[in-house]
Amino acid sequence: MLTLIADCFGRSILFPLREDFPEIRGGSLPDNTIYLPYKGVSRHHFSIKKEASQWMLRDLASKNGTMLNGKQITEIAIKTGDVIQAGIIQLTVKSAQQEVQPLQFSETQSLRREPETDRVGHVPFVDGENIFSFQKLKFPDGFIPGKSAAMENVLQKMQAIADSDVNVLLIGETGVGKEMFAQTLHQSGKRSNGAFVAVNCAAIPVDLAEAELFGIGEKVATNVSRRKGKMVLAHQGTLFLDELSSLPEGLQSKILRGIEDHAIYPVGEHQPHISDFRLISATNLDPKDLISKGKLRPDLYHRIATVEILIPPLRDRKGDLELLIMGLLQNLSKKESKYIPGISQRLFATLHDYSYPGNVRELRNILSSMVALAHPGEVLDLHLLPEKVRDRNIEEDMEKVIQTDLTKASIHLHETVDEVTRKLIQHALKLHQGNITRAANYLNVTPFGMRKMMKRLGINKES
């Protein structure tokens, strides 16, 4: 298979010549298969189409013409090694198998040793059913739990209780995907044909929480109609209560009674509605701390936590990062209808080093932002990384330097200042793809002064 490769001012754009595309068009408008919004490129500049055994390049009456190997063409067959020029952009025809080697994400350590190389890793299409050995578990669409040792422990527990009706408490930080794990338990169990009813208790106003959960009877108040509560809607299915501890103690007591006898009393009614559901609860805080602070009733805790499952934060399961990135990019590129061939090695190294305070949700938002900003066919690289991620990385580097020195009996001021300076220069160089002039402007120093500091501190612009 042939691939077009263009270097558009530091932005590597790749596009494979796929036979399932009836016609591949290049131009400055976003509706082109190859989007090139650069000087001298016409709105619809050229097309490439497979005819017999050859790929034919045609000029589409562009203003400045289409060039192949320095000569203007109207129509011609292309082959490996040819150079197509449209305006100021050159696209080289290469063999995909020879020129673009897939990035082996399992080689995490080698990636981190060589963070500035530009080797491109393709994002393979992942068959979720074949990744995991947990045959009982059925994952929701788009959910990528991971396969690290930490996640394997979680999935083993989930598989063991998939067919059970025991109440489950999921414990994990915000953004780890507790609701998706709850959906997995629902879809994998005997109640999968029933409803999955999710309630974020922290998002419900306190004065409306009882009516939301238990429902409202007839003629309770003027202009208020009868409505079923979430606990009734979950009959024969699964009820997922997130942040149950945010509800007042009196309502927690009523919820406990409803869980124990499955008799649900709507607001204003004295006759119960019988509702048989499986309960899965979740919290982002330690239940023992919640109990000690009076935010969670001990009797309710013991009732909802027949089985506790701790969902580890992303920073504690970096072994899942490559799988998460590949799967999320696949889903996001489909959603945006945008071909993204992969990510650069140095971007993966940066993403690997990040701490993810927002966990998987934050990773998804980071990648979503990058895919939205990228050109179709562009390899994701550092220039697309959100500023908050770059800023937090350098903040964490600075904190490590300070904390390391504070543990010593004394602090060597000049060594500490040099280390901070080294980290800042390395950060600036990475941010500006090794361009010393732009990195110096970013740090408000002269390029000459920057080079002197780099020489003194032993910094190479590729390091």
Side-chain angles (χ1 to χ4, degrees):
M1 184 176 73
L2 298 182
T3 297
L4 297 180
I5 301 181
D7 183 7
C8 300
F9 312 105
R11 307 182 75 161
S12 297
I13 299 179
L14 285 76
F15 196 88
L17 302 183
R18 291 168 48 184
E19 297 187 21
D20 55 333
F21 278 46
E23 184 179 37
I24 297 168
R25 290 193 172 208
S28 61
L29 292 181
D31 64 349
N32 287 283
T33 322
I34 303 174
Y35 177 41
L36 300 170
Y38 300 103
K39 185 177 179 180
V41 181
S42 297
R43 291 180 298 175
H44 297 101
H45 200 107
F46 63 85
S47 72
I48 302 174
K49 187 176 182 179
K50 186 71 173 286
E51 294 183 2
S53 60
Q54 293 182 312
W55 287 99
M56 301 300 296
L57 171 68
R58 291 187 180 88
D59 180 67
L60 299 178
S62 61
K63 183 177 179 180
N64 297 311
T66 300
M67 311 284 285
L68 184 72
N69 302 326
K71 296 181 180 179
Q72 190 162 340
I73 61 95
T74 302
E75 181 178 358
I76 194 171
I78 59 174
K79 61 185 183 304
T80 301
D82 284 344
V83 177
I84 302 169
Q85 182 152 351
I88 62 173
I89 298 301
Q90 289 186 339
L91 301 100
T92 305
V93 182
K94 296 187 178 181
S95 167
Q97 288 80 5
Q98 295 173 355
E99 300 296 339
V100 185
Q101 296 297 324
L103 177 60
Q104 299 300 318
F105 285 103
S106 59
E107 301 173 2
T108 303
Q109 296 306 314
S110 64
L111 288 177
R112 299 182 70 186
R113 284 197 299 269
E114 303 173 347
E116 291 301 320
T117 58
D118 292 317
R119 187 157 61 94
V120 172
H122 276 269
V123 182
F125 287 94
V126 179
D127 183 354
E129 294 182 1
N130 295 328
I131 294 175
F132 309 102
S133 58
F134 302 95
Q135 300 300 322
K136 287 184 180 180
L137 300 183
K138 297 178 182 178
F139 301 105
D141 290 341
F143 181 43
I144 309 162
K147 55 179 182 178
S148 63
M151 283 311 306
E152 186 170 348
N153 182 50
V154 170
L155 297 175
Q156 284 177 344
K157 287 184 177 180
M158 291 176 63
Q159 175 156 279
I161 61 172
D163 294 329
S164 174
D165 261 346
V166 296
N167 295 333
V168 180
L169 177 62
L170 302 175
I171 305 170
E173 295 178 4
T174 299
V176 296
K178 295 186 289 293
E179 184 170 341
M180 297 297 271
F181 285 99
Q183 284 190 35
T184 300
L185 282 172
H186 169 72
Q187 292 179 186
S188 307
K190 56 190 177 184
R191 295 176 179 269
S192 59
N193 291 329
F196 177 81
V197 180
V199 183
N200 183 355
C201 299
I204 307 174
V206 174
D207 55 341
L208 299 179
E210 183 175 359
E212 184 73 13
L213 289 168
F214 292 87
I216 301 177
E218 280 192 70
K219 300 178 181 179
V220 171
T222 306
N223 297 325
V224 175
S225 57
R226 185 175 186 176
R227 186 173 77 244
K228 289 184 178 180
K230 301 293 187 183
M231 297 178 76
V232 173
L233 293 174
H235 179 55
Q236 295 185 337
T238 300
L239 177 66
F240 175 61
L241 297 180
D242 195 9
E243 303 306 330
L244 185 57
S245 61
S246 63
L247 299 177
E249 183 181 359
L251 186 53
Q252 288 187 29
S253 176
K254 187 173 181 179
I255 290 171
L256 175 62
R257 291 197 300 273
I259 294 170
E260 288 178 334
D261 56 22
H262 294 282
I264 310 302
Y265 290 85
V267 175
E269 288 192 2
H270 301 290
Q271 293 297 320
H273 294 251
I274 302 302
S275 183
D276 178 23
F277 53 81
R278 182 184 191 178
L279 178 67
I280 302 176
S281 306
T283 177
N284 60 10
L285 299 172
D286 186 339
K288 295 183 179 61
D289 289 342
L290 292 172
I291 292 171
S292 65
K293 294 176 182 178
K295 293 185 177 181
L296 179 64
R297 289 176 60 103
D299 50 358
L300 178 59
Y301 163 69
H302 292 303
R303 186 64 179 170
I304 65 176
T306 306
V307 173
E308 286 188 5
I309 299 179
L310 179 63
I311 311 296
L314 184 53
R315 63 179 175 275
D316 291 342
R317 55 184 187 102
K318 290 291 185 72
D320 290 330
L321 197 59
E322 58 268 32
L323 183 62
L324 288 168
I325 289 174
M326 290 188 290
L328 289 171
L329 281 181
Q330 177 189 334
N331 295 336
L332 291 168
S333 59
K334 284 183 179 179
K335 182 179 178 181
E336 293 284 335
S337 300
K338 186 182 291 185
Y339 171 70
I340 300 295
I343 69 173
S344 71
Q345 194 172 4
R346 60 189 176 189
L347 173 60
F348 181 82
T350 300
L351 290 173
H352 187 278
D353 288 340
Y354 187 54
S355 62
Y356 299 99
N359 291 293
V360 178
R361 181 184 296 139
E362 184 178 13
L363 174 63
R364 183 184 294 107
N365 290 340
I366 290 169
L367 295 175
S368 179
S369 170
M370 297 180 76
V371 169
L373 293 171
H375 288 254
E378 181 176 6
V379 177
L380 302 187
D381 206 351
L382 290 174
H383 65 280
L384 294 169
L385 199 63
E387 289 184 8
K388 64 177 183 178
V389 179
R390 297 197 297 254
D391 292 343
R392 186 170 181 88
N393 270 349
I394 192 63
E395 287 172 8
E396 290 173 351
D397 279 345
M398 297 301 102
E399 288 173 3
K400 288 176 184 176
V401 172
I402 302 297
Q403 288 171 0
T404 300
D405 280 342
L406 288 177
T407 62
K408 299 177 181 178
S410 64
I411 298 174
H412 194 296
L413 178 62
H414 295 298
E415 287 182 1
T416 302
V417 170
D418 281 351
E419 185 61 22
V420 170
T421 303
R422 182 180 290 107
K423 293 290 186 183
L424 286 170
I425 291 175
Q426 289 172 337
H427 169 70
L429 288 170
K430 182 181 288 188
L431 188 62
H432 297 283
Q433 288 79 51
N435 187 298
I436 292 177
T437 301
R438 292 203 299 265
N441 290 336
Y442 174 76
L443 294 173
N444 286 294
V445 298
T446 66
F448 176 75
M450 177 88 154
R451 287 186 175 89
K452 283 186 66 177
M453 286 188 288
M454 289 172 63
K455 184 177 180 180
R456 182 175 67 82
L457 296 170
I459 299 172
N460 186 293
K461 69 177 183 179
E462 273 82 35
S463 65

